[in-house]
Amino acid sequence: MYKRVRLKDTVEVPPEELGDVSPNLVKRLLQDKLEGRMDEEVGSVVSVTDVHDIGEGTVLPNRPGVYYEAEFDAVTFDPQMQEVVDGTVVEVVEFGAFVGIGPVDGLLHVSQISDEYLAYDGENQRLASNESARALGVDDAVRARIVTKSIDERNPRDSKIGLTAKQPGLGKHGWLEDEREKREATAGE
């Protein structure tokens, strides 16, 4: 999920900054360029942490800045297929719940939440069962498994992550705690 990686990239140093091409300047330029961007190979760049090496500057025709290749460390978020993740429900809609998992949201489709039928309660922003007192709403903590992943590098907000919570050990944290307490009570009898 979160990884620390060593990367290389090129940054343009504008003419007004050429007097001080320092690791701090290059770090700031890399942060502006990369943080929040999605890449199929490394995932989403969360933070550029350290700049290790700054190469020689290159001038390109008809371009005002000087281009420097830099080697740096970054923290990335790269969700993996079948990975179990904990997150928080950020929005509930008729067809499911959007769960914040790191810097992106995943969709927990209503059919992947519970074996019980969950009806949408728009007034209270939740999905509620008619069979039991179970309900899933905004700010609820959830454990789910990543089952689909489609990364859009050009528009990271259009990336899609599909989740399921129907397997044992997955679901709303409160439901998991209730199930654990029931198992302990029956084991103690």
Side-chain angles (χ1 to χ4, degrees), residues 4-7 23 27 30-31 47-53 71-74:
R4 184 177 180 148
V5 295
R6 175 104 10 133
L7 301 171
K27 178 180 175 181
L30 286 166
Q31 288 171 331
S47 177
V48 174
T49 57
D50 295 307
V51 174
H52 295 287
D53 187 38
E71 186 174 299
F72 59 95
D73 288 338

Side-chain angles (χ1 to χ4, degrees), residues 14-76:
E16 61 272 12
E17 304 277 2
L18 288 173
D20 179 33
V21 181
S22 65
N24 284 337
L25 171 66
V26 172
K27 178 180 175 181
R28 183 174 51 80
L29 293 170
L30 286 166
Q31 288 171 331
D32 291 346
K33 178 181 177 182
L34 299 175
E35 288 180 2
R37 299 271 161 78
M38 192 71 87
D39 180 275
E40 187 68 45
E41 290 180 27
V42 298
S44 176
V45 177
V46 177
S47 177
V48 174
T49 57
D50 295 307
V51 174
H52 295 287
D53 187 38
I54 302 170
E56 294 296 318
T58 303
V59 177
L60 298 178
N62 301 319
R63 301 298 304 229
V66 178
Y67 292 82
Y68 291 87
E69 183 174 81
E71 186 174 299
F72 59 95
D73 288 338
V75 175
T76 62

Side-chain angles (χ1 to χ4, degrees), residues 4 7 9 21 25 27 72 81 84 96 112 117 120 122 124 127 130-131 137 161 182:
R4 184 177 180 148
L7 301 171
D9 203 343
V21 181
L25 171 66
K27 178 180 175 181
F72 59 95
M81 292 293 292
V84 174
Q112 296 297 311
Y117 174 75
Y120 177 64
N124 296 309
L127 296 164
N130 293 333
E131 302 169 33
I161 296 175
K182 283 181 193 174

Side-chain angles (χ1 to χ4, degrees), residues 40 78-81 146-151 160-162:
E40 187 68 45
D78 188 18
Q80 299 297 309
M81 292 293 292
I146 296 173
V147 292
T148 61
K149 177 174 120 170
S150 173
I151 303 300
K160 294 175 177 51
I161 296 175

Side-chain angles (χ1 to χ4, degrees), residues 79-137:
Q80 299 297 309
M81 292 293 292
Q82 304 307 319
E83 181 176 9
V84 174
V85 294
D86 285 307
T88 304
V89 176
V90 295
E91 183 181 7
V92 177
V93 291
E94 284 186 52
F95 54 86
F98 288 96
V99 178
I101 52 169
V104 296
D105 295 342
L107 173 62
L108 187 54
H109 190 271
V110 68
S111 68
Q112 296 297 311
I113 297 172
S114 170
D115 288 329
E116 298 177 20
Y117 174 75
L118 298 175
Y120 177 64
D121 177 0
E123 186 176 312
N124 296 309
Q125 277 287 293
R126 65 186 197 142
L127 296 164
S129 170
N130 293 333
E131 302 169 33
S132 67
R134 287 186 168 189
L136 183 69

